[in-house]
Amino acid sequence: MEHDFYRILKGLKLKVTPKRIAIMEIMAAEKTYMSPDELRSKLKQRFKNIGLPTVYRNLEELAKEGVIIKIIHPDRKLYYFYCHRKEHHHHFVCVSCRRVEDITFCGMEEIKKEVEDGLKGHMVSHMLQVYGFCKNCLIKQVVSQ
Amino acid sequence: MEHDFYRILKGLKLKVTPKRIAIMEIMAAEKTYMSPDELRSKLKQRFKNIGLPTVYRNLEELAKEGVIIKIIHPDRKLYYFYCHRKEHHHHFVCVSCRRVEDITFCGMEEIKKEVEDGLKGHMVSHMLQVYGFCKNCLIKQVVSQ
DNA sequence: GTTTTAAATAGAAACGATTTTCATTTAGAT
DNA sequence: ATCTAAATGAAAATCGTTTCTATTTAAAAC
């Protein structure tokens, strides 16, 4: 696992620093999205002086390369999560526990068709975010009633 | 038209102030999304002391009621545009001129099915944003080459 | 039409997430 | 072991947005 991260950083021509490795480790192990500040709290256990700009810079670099995904939450803050899959897909975000799960289907072919045939425009990208309750949180809701 | 706005505000139990009417007029006439600050610039032509908090408050109130749509742009700033249609639909945003056009189709039924049957979760909402070049901007691109 | 009162507003100040600056440290090439 | 460009921490700056408070105004009550 450590070697994967090493290889990824080499591939991106980024220096292999202990902090970069730690950031990737923590992100990859976490199933929910994280704010830069939450990530820093976790990093502080290993590096007590780690600065927030370092966290922001690294998350942004990794996001630019698609190693992690940046999401812009309705609260307008940034969140990130590690992206294990490389194919095009979207995400389901649990509004309760913030767990992120993959969605395979995305009807973008039809929408692209509507944009290009109907509106005579050209679609270059899209962003889809699906919110709800995941399996675990549904169970908890039933139990707590 | 003025009477439509009057009726809408009455329906929302908001006081009918000249600034509210002006905000709705300007937003409804504009085919592109606008930042609060851009809207204030336009309002200043009529009300030279209008404050930015007033613009933010009014946009937020109207957005809460669905009269205008709030979008969270990838730049993390807020933008708004007037929503002429009331049925569920999504928007195509031209990345060049920022014109907003409606998209009728949205494959959410399939995605909802995937979330509920596949992930055993419960979907409560979604957000879809489609980016590209509109018809006019495609023409300009061709012309300028 | 006048009075009343609750909502709307302007202006100034506060807020807070993110970014920049700059001096210091460190990875990795020579 | 030395060198150089990249990475980092700390502090400060930035800037879109929100809060606070005193004043004004729409419109309900009289």
Side-chain angles (χ1 to χ4, degrees):
Chain A
M1 199 54 158
E2 170 103 16
H3 286 85
D4 284 340
F5 301 145
Y6 189 93
R7 194 165 33 74
I8 290 171
L9 289 176
K10 282 293 181 194
L12 302 179
K13 298 197 163 61
L14 294 172
K15 286 189 180 174
V16 179
T17 67
K19 281 157 197 164
R20 284 214 171 103
I21 295 288
I23 286 172
M24 296 176 87
E25 272 175 16
I26 293 171
M27 293 300 289
E30 195 69 50
K31 292 215 182 327
T32 68
Y33 57 88
M34 243 184 294
S35 69
D37 197 60
E38 287 165 346
L39 175 56
R40 183 168 76 149
S41 296
K42 290 179 194 286
L43 286 165
K44 281 220 166 181
Q45 298 168 10
R46 291 198 232 170
F47 309 96
K48 76 174 181 358
N49 288 328
I50 190 166
L52 211 31
T54 297
V55 177
Y56 275 94
R57 270 182 304 235
N58 280 299
L59 286 171
E60 192 54 34
E61 280 159 353
L62 294 173
K64 193 179 298 173
E65 303 296 340
V67 176
I68 61 179
I69 300 281
K70 166 160 70 168
I71 65 176
I72 296 164
H73 201 267
D75 68 8
R76 261 180 306 109
K77 286 190 256 176
L78 297 176
Y79 294 91
Y80 296 86
F81 57 92
Y82 197 90
C83 187
H84 293 274
R85 293 173 61 187
K86 288 291 159 265
E87 324 86 75
H88 174 86
H89 65 293
H90 287 276
H91 299 96
F92 170 77
V93 176
C94 179
V95 295
S96 170
C97 68
R98 312 201 306 188
R99 167 186 288 268
V100 176
E101 303 197 75
D102 291 345
I103 288 177
T104 305
F105 172 81
C106 126
M108 281 311 129
E109 300 71 27
E110 280 92 341
I111 289 177
K112 189 173 168 116
K113 214 170 147 195
E114 183 172 339
V115 168
E116 310 208 333
D117 294 355
L119 302 177
K120 306 290 179 200
H122 176 59
M123 173 170 154
V124 295
S125 66
H126 66 281
M127 162 183 172
L128 171 64
Q129 210 96 158
V130 179
Y131 303 97
F133 292 92
C134 75
K135 189 166 69 169
N136 297 339
C137 291
L138 276 182
I139 291 170
K140 278 188 214 138
Q141 284 206 323
V142 173
V143 168
S144 66
Q145 275 167 10
Chain B
M1 199 56 158
E2 168 104 13
H3 286 84
D4 284 341
F5 301 147
Y6 189 93
R7 195 165 32 74
I8 289 171
L9 290 176
K10 282 294 180 190
L12 302 179
K13 297 199 164 62
L14 293 172
K15 286 189 182 177
V16 179
T17 67
K19 281 156 196 164
R20 284 214 172 105
I21 295 289
I23 286 172
M24 296 176 87
E25 272 175 16
I26 293 171
M27 294 299 289
E30 196 68 51
K31 292 217 184 324
T32 68
Y33 57 88
M34 244 183 295
S35 69
D37 198 59
E38 287 165 345
L39 175 56
R40 182 167 78 148
S41 297
K42 289 179 193 285
L43 286 165
K44 280 219 170 185
Q45 297 168 9
R46 292 198 230 170
F47 309 96
K48 75 175 183 355
N49 288 326
I50 191 165
L52 210 33
T54 298
V55 177
Y56 274 93
R57 262 181 275 130
N58 278 299
L59 286 172
E60 193 53 35
E61 279 159 353
L62 294 173
K64 192 179 298 172
E65 302 297 339
V67 175
I68 62 180
I69 300 282
K70 165 160 71 169
I71 66 177
I72 296 164
H73 200 268
D75 69 7
R76 264 182 300 109
K77 286 189 256 174
L78 297 177
Y79 295 91
Y80 295 86
F81 58 92
Y82 197 92
C83 185
H84 294 274
R85 292 174 63 188
K86 288 292 158 266
E87 324 84 76
H88 174 85
H89 65 292
H90 287 276
H91 298 97
F92 169 76
V93 176
C94 179
V95 294
S96 170
C97 69
R98 312 202 305 187
R99 169 186 287 268
V100 176
E101 302 197 77
D102 292 345
I103 289 178
T104 306
F105 172 81
C106 127
M108 282 310 130
E109 300 71 27
E110 281 91 341
I111 290 177
K112 190 174 168 119
K113 213 170 146 195
E114 182 173 339
V115 168
E116 310 206 333
D117 295 354
L119 302 178
K120 306 292 178 198
H122 176 60
M123 173 172 156
V124 296
S125 67
H126 66 281
M127 162 181 169
L128 170 66
Q129 210 97 158
V130 179
Y131 302 97
F133 291 93
C134 74
K135 189 166 66 169
N136 297 339
C137 290
L138 276 181
I139 291 170
K140 278 187 215 140
Q141 283 206 324
V142 172
V143 168
S144 66
Q145 273 167 15

